[in-house]
Amino acid sequence: NGARVTGTTNTTIIGQTFSDFILGPNGIITSPGTLNMSISGNLILQGGGLLEPARIDLPSGTATISTLNDVQLLSGTTSTSSAQIGSSGTLASGSVDFSVGGKLLINTQVSNSYALIGHGDPTAALSTLSGNITGSAGANIILNGANAGGGSLGFAQIGHVDQGGLASTISGDILLTANNWFVNGGSAGTTSYARVGHGGRSLLTTVGSRSEE
């Protein structure tokens, strides 16, 4: 928990001797170059309490993430405890390619604490975000919006997220394959949605394309 890994160009994280790689509350990996992760078990990003996100931050470059089992992004139990693979900044261009042996699970527990594969912060300023999200899951891809909390921003999303009322610019292809897709919106609030695609917050945003199989 609270780990920090920062790479200036290339970062390689190989977990072949571990069954799981777990990035816990307030754990952040930042890689602006090339990030290679090869995990023999599960890759788990687990948010915690207040202001305790878990994030693999990709402001630029390319990330290749390979697991024999699952990839799980799990938001925490209180607000501002998001789980994210992607940059939270307003200018980002990193791409990510997945090879997931099991399922890809993106799960949000409470409002104001999202789970996201993609760039962006829904509370930030006008953003310019790009980068492809590609790969495959050997089992299912599952997205669950929040069912508790009663507030906003309890969403689960694959795609870059924009900001309400602003004309952000978002681009990049989403090309993912899986056995089955389960995209389940939550009941905590109007923005406790589950979404595959860019945007979600503003009709003014310019977005790119997607493909699901």
Side-chain angles (χ1 to χ4, degrees), residues 158-202:
I158 298 174
H160 310 317
V161 69
D162 56 1
Q163 298 74 37
L166 299 179
S168 293
T169 301
I170 299 177
S171 63
D173 292 333
I174 301 172
L175 303 167
L176 294 167
T177 62
N179 280 349
N180 296 288
W181 288 78
F182 298 94
V183 183
N184 306 306
S187 60
T190 57
T191 53
S192 294
Y193 59 82
R195 179 183 179 90
V196 180
H198 302 314
R201 298 274 293 144
S202 175

Side-chain angles (χ1 to χ4, degrees), residues 89-189:
T90 58
L91 180 62
S93 60
S95 294
V96 60
D97 182 72
F98 291 94
S99 178
V100 182
K103 69 178 179 289
L104 174 57
L105 173 64
I106 303 171
N107 189 75
T108 303
Q109 297 191 73
V110 298
S111 62
N112 297 306
S113 183
Y114 52 87
L116 172 67
I117 295 178
H119 302 314
D121 179 341
T123 66
L126 191 73
S127 299
T128 300
L129 309 172
S130 63
N132 299 330
I133 302 170
T134 60
S136 63
N140 301 324
I141 295 179
I142 306 165
L143 296 90
N144 296 317
N147 289 315
S152 61
L153 304 181
F155 61 85
Q157 183 168 349
I158 298 174
H160 310 317
V161 69
D162 56 1
Q163 298 74 37
L166 299 179
S168 293
T169 301
I170 299 177
S171 63
D173 292 333
I174 301 172
L175 303 167
L176 294 167
T177 62
N179 280 349
N180 296 288
W181 288 78
F182 298 94
V183 183
N184 306 306
S187 60

